[in-house]
Amino acid sequence: MLTESFVLFNTEISPGYRRMRLLVSEAFVRKAAPGRFVMLRVNDSTDPLLRRPFAVFDTGAASDGAYFEILYRVIGRGTAMLSEKKKGDILDILGPLGKGFSLDDSAGEKLLVGGGIGLAPLYALARKLREASSTVRLFAGGRVRGDILCADAFEAIGVECRFTTEDGSIGERALVTQPLVRHLESLDIGATIYACGPEAMLRAVAKIAACRAIPCQVSLESRMACGIGVCLGCVVPGRRHSVRTPDFRCVCAEGPVFDAREIDWKMSQ
Ligand SMILES: Cc1cc2nc3c(=O)[nH]c(=O)nc-3n(C[C@H](O)[C@H](O)[C@H](O)COP(=O)(O)OP(=O)(O)OC[C@H]3O[C@@H](n4cnc5c(N)ncnc54)[C@H](O)[C@@H]3O)c2cc1C
């Protein structure tokens, strides 16, 4: 679906991070399931040529109409251009695209693990899980305090949050996997893990889940160009990959959310 949409706000929420709300149709909101993403054209000209992918952060309805939000980090040219958009500017959106999180209805706890901007797809997921009355815990990690985004929004919907930073400026001075492991060791009911963040964090979380036979879904953020499975620029090696029998998974069309067991984490190192 190709949509033209008005910017409702585009606010800096922490140094280098912004939250943008866009006016969209109700049909768009219905399709914007947690874990899916959009490809945004950040400029009217052909420079930069490629759209940039962003996860569904939140959707809803306000007085102006149905809306869709992204949470993003200003990291390069495309996101710098996006950061200059103002209320009333028009953005061209392709999406929602890809396969999102599977909402498993097992009784156990839902453990969300986010590193930095990896928190972006986890808020919409947390809302859906809380609507189904699940116990949801968030393990959010970053380098510094400013990387821990929208903590109040997670807490407001009843998510129990634990924070870690590398400098100890908020929460525990640790990697996000450390409180996760401690929590799993103390847990006497089942759990499902949903994770998004840097690849090294996802690899570690996948290993923790595999060792304990815990279901784990990961949202991958490989670099992508088309977003619709045509260019194959975003593929990652699948579990059965070998030189003789290539097994590549297309992050935009088959993901970005995968069962962590589907990915060959050794190959992606
Ligand atoms: C499915 C998907 C969902 C995403 N969701 C979000 C989101 O919700 N919020 C958000 O802030 N970002 C998200 N990203 C990453 C985002 O698309 C990139 O940060 C953005 O495209 C960078 O564009 P740029 O022009 O500013 O940077 P560029 O100038 O293209 O690159 C600047 C730097 O960023 C690095 N970079 C570029 N793209 C990626 C990427 N995909 N992953 C990691 N590093 C990258 C480059 O290696 C380079 O060092 C997502 C990526 C994918 C694939």
Side-chain angles (χ1 to χ4, degrees):
M1 190 195 295
L2 203 52
T3 313
E4 286 211 324
S5 161
F6 284 103
V7 175
L8 292 173
F9 63 73
N10 183 21
T11 313
E12 188 171 64
I13 54 156
S14 183
Y17 294 97
R18 300 182 90 88
R19 181 171 174 170
M20 177 187 269
R21 179 176 287 187
L22 296 152
L23 194 60
V24 288
S25 66
E26 284 175 17
F28 181 98
V29 165
R30 276 196 297 279
K31 291 181 185 155
R36 300 194 78 193
F37 68 100
V38 295
M39 296 292 283
L40 288 186
R41 216 173 129 189
V42 295
N43 204 338
D44 288 339
S45 80
T46 49
D47 178 28
L49 185 63
L50 299 176
R51 292 166 180 272
R52 299 297 195 258
F54 298 94
V56 172
F57 171 67
D58 197 14
T59 56
S63 52
D64 337 46
Y67 66 81
F68 158 76
E69 288 187 16
I70 62 168
L71 186 69
Y72 66 98
R73 180 171 171 215
V74 182
I75 191 172
R77 275 188 78 220
T79 45
M81 287 175 179
L82 204 58
S83 72
E84 284 160 15
K85 301 290 173 196
K86 308 233 166 354
K87 183 174 178 178
D89 284 353
I90 293 178
L91 269 187
D92 181 321
I93 310 177
L94 178 64
L97 302 168
K99 183 176 127 293
F101 292 103
S102 305
L103 301 176
D104 93 88
D105 51 9
S106 60
E109 290 192 352
K110 312 299 178 212
L111 307 179
L112 278 42
V113 187
I117 194 62
L119 284 174
L122 298 181
Y123 179 66
L125 173 67
R127 274 193 40 184
K128 269 273 182 286
L129 293 169
R130 289 296 298 138
E131 279 163 26
S133 304
S134 298
T135 300
V136 184
R137 293 183 200 280
L138 172 70
F139 297 85
R143 282 172 299 110
V144 296
R145 170 183 283 270
D147 296 331
I148 306 291
L149 307 169
C150 299
D152 49 348
F154 281 95
E155 283 168 343
I157 56 168
V159 175
E160 205 225 283
C161 300
R162 301 204 189 160
F163 306 122
T164 62
T165 43
E166 289 174 25
D167 67 351
S169 50
I170 182 173
E172 190 182 347
R173 183 180 196 148
L175 295 177
V176 73
T177 42
Q178 291 169 262
L180 172 69
V181 167
R182 281 203 309 274
H183 183 70
L184 289 172
E185 280 167 0
S186 69
L187 202 61
D188 50 13
I189 56 169
T192 305
I193 297 177
Y194 303 89
C196 184
E199 198 175 301
M201 185 206 92
L202 293 183
R203 195 181 307 123
V205 172
K207 192 170 170 192
I208 290 164
C211 291
R212 294 164 177 79
I214 295 172
C216 177
Q217 296 175 38
V218 291
S219 181
L220 302 183
E221 291 194 353
S222 74
R223 300 209 64 176
M224 63 178 58
C226 75
I228 52 173
V230 174
C231 73
L232 302 181
C234 62
V235 295
V236 293
R239 187 167 49 99
R240 294 191 194 81
H241 182 78
S242 71
V243 178
R244 283 194 178 173
T245 53
D247 171 19
F248 286 109
R249 307 296 163 97
C250 186
V251 173
C252 66
E254 295 175 74
V257 178
F258 293 88
D259 183 321
R261 292 169 305 182
E262 284 179 56
I263 306 301
D264 182 345
W265 296 100
K266 287 193 298 299
M267 281 284 298
S268 65
Q269 260 175 44

